Amino acid sequence: MISHGKDIKVFTGNSNPELAKDIGDLLFRKLGDCACTHFADGECSVSVYDPVRGTDVFIVQSTCKPVNDSLMELLIMIDAMRRASAGRITAVIPYFGYARQDRKAKSRDPISAKLVANLITAAGADRVLTMDLHAAQIQGFFDIPVDNLYGAPLFAKHYLSIYGKNNDDIMVVSPDVGSTARARSFSMKLGCNMAIVDKRREKANQSEVMNIIGSVEGKTCILLDDMVDTAGSLCGAAKAIKEIGGAKEVYACATHGVLSGPAIERIENSCIKELLLLDTIPYPADKPKCEKIHYKSVANVFAEAIRRIYEEEPLSILFE
């Protein structure tokens, strides 16, 4: 029995319309008719042209660059749907911005991820659907249900098709200690061993010393991370694996390709042979094309999650 909404309607803002269209196509739904524009002073303006009364509304909007504009578009779209009497509103946020500000690192720091969660809830969202939150505890910042999908199964399927399972020549590598749990789960899917890049600064004003925990000599290594921002940590880890660990080849994969600042240039000049990203964030329009960077689509995962949410079916199968 469907307890909310007489139909599905998918809307999108300006952050990732290509992904939203792919999701709509897989659901056999045309994107809802709306427009997100800006006034002369920069204020966000949203106009919804399709009726949504009693409808299950899914708003696909990554809060990526320009982060604040994308966030405001999402909040105003949620408010518009609520005031138009939508039956249920799900904020589909493939990339959740501000997720790195999930705790107080020093005195008087804000916890911006909690503030954003409060804003989304206050705007009128009934549910949030996202992927690979930078910190899993952010789910607890919301007072509404949050479904946090994983990108690792998509990467596992890709690499299993190339190298097969239980391949002794493959090694999964965590670029830092904080990503160890994610890398361990990924290595279990591939049936291979894992290593960790441990970096530390022994003295002030000295460069970081890299240590490799685990033997990667002669191995084909796959670095796994949740996001690539400026690519400094990823490229540094790849260099350490190659030069200190003696790895044969280094590949990398990450769910969110933020790719800000010198990221493209760093990846181009690194020893990484290929960086595989998911299309939760579109490739920066103002950056030159990098031949090392390739994308896999998450549209099918989100489309299936949306279908299951609408039909009140469990999402647990998508986490396996």
Side-chain angles (χ1 to χ4, degrees), residues 11-48:
F11 292 85
T12 185
N14 294 319
S15 69
N16 203 340
E18 293 82 8
L19 175 59
K21 183 181 181 302
D22 291 343
I23 293 172
D25 289 344
L26 288 167
L27 292 168
F28 304 102
R29 297 289 197 285
K30 184 179 177 182
L31 287 180
D33 191 4
C34 74
C36 293
T37 57
H38 293 86
F39 292 111
D41 64 352
E43 286 184 8
C44 179
S45 172
V46 171
S47 298
V48 180

Side-chain angles (χ1 to χ4, degrees), residues 12 28 59 124 163 168 203 206 208 213 249 256 263 281 285 309:
T12 185
F28 304 102
I59 303 171
Y163 301 112
D168 291 336
K203 292 182 181 179
Q206 284 191 2
E208 290 177 331
I213 303 172
E249 292 178 325
H256 310 297
I281 302 174
I309 289 170

Side-chain angles (χ1 to χ4, degrees), residues 152-162 186 189-190 296 300:
L154 293 172
F155 294 130
K157 185 177 180 180
H158 172 80
Y159 289 115
L160 284 171
S161 68
I162 298 173
F186 184 57
K189 293 179 189 298
L190 296 182
K296 286 190 72 67
N300 58 336

Side-chain angles (χ1 to χ4, degrees), residues 74-305:
L74 174 63
L75 296 174
I76 294 173
M77 288 180 75
I78 293 170
D79 182 71
M81 302 301 176
R82 173 61 63 213
R83 295 177 188 277
S85 301
R88 181 171 60 175
I89 302 167
T90 300
V92 182
I93 312 173
Y95 168 69
F96 185 86
Y98 286 99
R100 285 172 284 185
Q101 299 184 46
D102 64 304
R103 65 194 184 280
K104 293 184 68 169
K106 61 182 186 299
S107 298
R108 294 173 296 281
D109 269 1
I111 304 180
S112 303
K114 170 60 175 168
L115 174 61
V116 171
N118 289 345
L119 290 170
I120 291 170
T121 305
D126 296 296
R127 188 183 203 97
V128 169
L129 177 63
T130 186
M131 177 171 276
D132 276 343
L133 287 168
H134 184 68
Q137 66 265 24
I138 292 173
Q139 293 175 82
F141 291 179
F142 287 87
D143 294 323
I144 55 176
V146 177
D147 294 305
N148 182 30
L149 302 175
Y150 300 133
L154 293 172
F155 294 130
K157 185 177 180 180
H158 172 80
Y159 289 115
L160 284 171
S161 68
I162 298 173
Y163 301 112
K165 192 163 186 177
N166 302 319
N167 189 331
D168 291 336
D169 293 328
I170 303 301
M171 179 81 80
V172 170
V173 181
S174 172
D176 52 48
V177 175
S179 299
T180 303
R182 186 182 295 108
R184 183 182 295 111
S185 175
F186 184 57
S187 66
M188 290 174 65
K189 293 179 189 298
L190 296 182
C192 63
N193 292 323
M194 68 167 285
I196 303 168
V197 177
D198 176 39
K199 54 187 177 184
R200 66 183 187 279
R201 198 179 297 271
E202 292 192 333
K203 292 182 181 179
N205 301 319
Q206 284 191 2
S207 60
E208 290 177 331
V209 177
M210 298 280 193
N211 291 316
I212 313 298
I213 303 172
S215 176
V216 298
E217 187 173 359
K219 303 283 188 179
T220 296
C221 293
I222 303 171
L223 276 163
L224 174 72
D225 212 345
D226 66 319
M227 72 169 67
V228 180
D229 190 353
T230 60
S233 296
L234 188 75
C235 293
K239 183 179 179 181
I241 292 167
K242 191 84 171 177
E243 296 181 1
I244 299 174
K248 182 172 70 174
E249 292 178 325
V250 182
Y251 293 84
C253 57
T255 304
H256 310 297
V258 181
L259 303 178
S260 56
I264 302 295
E265 184 180 354
R266 283 175 173 170
I267 293 164
E268 195 71 69
N269 297 330
S270 73
C271 61
I272 297 172
K273 297 201 70 172
E274 179 191 62
L275 172 59
L276 188 62
L277 299 171
L278 302 181
D279 60 349
T280 57
I281 302 174
Y283 190 87
D286 59 340
K287 302 283 187 181
K289 182 67 177 175
C290 178
E291 296 300 323
K292 289 185 177 181
I293 298 176
H294 298 90
Y295 282 85
K296 286 190 72 67
S297 178
V298 294
N300 58 336
V301 178
F302 278 98
E304 178 63 13

